[in-house]
Amino acid sequence: MISSKLASRGLGNTSRVLLANWAATRTFAVSSTSCGDYDKFVPANPEQKKFLKRKTEKELFSRKTFLIDYYKHIYDSNEILLFVHYNNLSKQDNKKYRRELTKAGAVLHILKISLFKVFLRSSHEPDPALRGLSAKNKDVVTPWDPLFVGPTAIVAIPKSDPSVVNAVLKVLKSANEKLLLLGAKVESEAMDIEQINAFKTLPTKDALQGQLVGLLSMAGGAGLVSTLSTPGSALYLNLQQRKKDMEGPSEEAKE
């Protein structure tokens, strides 16, 4: 069944959430491709109409299409994805570590590896679930492919914040090998464990920008900082004047 709890986690796509919530009130299995219940659905806005016209690899309302859409949402809405191997997680462990990771500023997602790999190969496409993309991108290799051996999960972090990564790694360490870090996607870059451990000690982007502004000011670059923050037309005039100053007086001026 489509779980209303799963749907409420936020797929970003409004129509997907509305349709999934609608589906949650019906009693049928999402793996069924012959169910006619969805034929009764009347789209309420242009976005839903567009959604219903999608030509997907699997049935539009199948579990496989739902998961690929969901993986796209996770991938696009989080700047950091930590890939972890989970081992012998009891129900209590699962609840405990999810709670601790949420407190740290992250969310744990258990993956269906075969479908996540299908998504990942087509993650550069606007709609990875569309018909034909699985065959088109079947030979695509990503830097994260070697990580997907055995049960794998994602720890998703919305912003590229080293302090959150540090807090998450403490939770993983406390899990006593029930959650083992494998690698990460930090923005668009693949990182191994050593690089992640180095990343967690870095200041945040805001802190780095503040340090840069401070350094420029201390080095006599306050004028540069001010110039770079001016509108484009003013910046152009400043650069033109600087060019004239560097070229020196013209021949006419010398005469």
Side-chain angles (χ1 to χ4, degrees):
M1 298 293 183
I2 293 181
S3 162
S4 58
K5 183 176 180 181
L6 178 61
S8 66
R9 288 178 184 173
L11 292 180
N13 186 319
T14 304
S15 59
R16 191 55 165 165
V17 174
L18 291 174
L19 293 175
N21 280 325
W22 176 85
T25 66
R26 271 54 179 176
T27 54
F28 64 93
V30 298
S31 59
S32 172
T33 59
S34 60
C35 180
D37 280 5
Y38 284 116
D39 294 337
K40 304 172 186 177
F41 185 80
V42 178
N45 55 52
E47 186 181 9
Q48 290 185 16
K49 289 180 181 179
K50 182 179 179 181
F51 176 83
L52 290 172
K53 291 179 180 178
R54 293 170 73 200
K55 304 298 182 183
T56 51
E57 187 74 35
K58 301 299 181 180
E59 287 293 321
L60 180 60
F61 291 99
S62 68
R63 180 172 177 268
K64 291 182 178 180
T65 301
F66 182 88
L67 284 176
I68 288 178
D69 285 351
Y70 191 54
Y71 292 150
K72 176 175 172 56
H73 166 71
I74 295 171
Y75 192 88
D76 291 347
S77 59
N78 293 278
E79 294 185 355
I80 296 180
L81 300 178
L82 300 178
F83 297 99
V84 299
H85 173 82
Y86 62 92
N87 182 43
N88 296 326
L89 274 182
S90 66
K91 187 175 181 180
Q92 289 182 334
D93 288 335
N94 188 27
K95 180 183 278 189
K96 173 186 175 182
Y97 296 126
R98 283 181 183 276
R99 184 172 59 248
E100 291 181 2
L101 287 169
T102 299
K103 287 181 180 178
V107 179
L108 179 67
H109 302 276
I110 302 299
L111 297 177
K112 184 173 178 58
I113 295 301
S114 58
L115 280 179
F116 187 77
K117 290 172 74 174
V118 169
F119 155 73
L120 203 57
R121 287 194 290 268
S122 296
S123 59
H124 59 285
E125 305 279 1
D127 187 348
L130 288 186
R131 187 181 302 162
L133 292 184
S134 180
K136 173 187 173 184
N137 298 315
K138 64 183 178 64
D139 295 326
V140 171
V141 178
T142 75
W144 302 282
D145 286 351
L147 305 181
F148 305 129
V149 178
T152 310
I154 282 177
V155 178
I157 302 173
K159 297 297 180 183
S160 187
D161 187 338
S163 65
V164 175
V165 173
N166 189 37
V168 167
L169 293 186
K170 289 180 180 178
V171 175
L172 299 183
K173 185 177 181 180
S174 71
N176 295 322
E177 298 188 353
K178 291 185 177 181
L179 291 170
L180 292 172
L181 180 65
L182 303 173
K185 180 184 84 73
V186 179
E187 297 181 10
S188 60
E189 182 180 353
M191 288 191 179
D192 58 25
I193 296 176
E194 184 177 346
Q195 291 171 315
I196 298 165
N197 284 325
F199 176 83
K200 73 179 183 181
T201 64
L202 296 175
T204 64
K205 285 183 180 179
D206 290 342
L208 283 172
Q209 289 171 350
Q211 290 175 16
L212 177 60
V213 171
L215 287 171
L216 288 172
S217 298
M218 291 174 61
L224 174 61
V225 174
S226 175
T227 298
L228 291 176
S229 64
T230 59
S233 57
L235 178 59
Y236 172 78
L237 292 174
N238 285 332
L239 291 175
Q240 284 292 94
Q241 184 59 51
R242 179 57 177 162
K243 179 183 176 183
K244 291 179 181 179
D245 293 342
M246 294 179 68
E247 291 175 346
S250 64
E251 293 299 322
E252 293 181 1
K254 290 179 181 179
E255 294 176 359

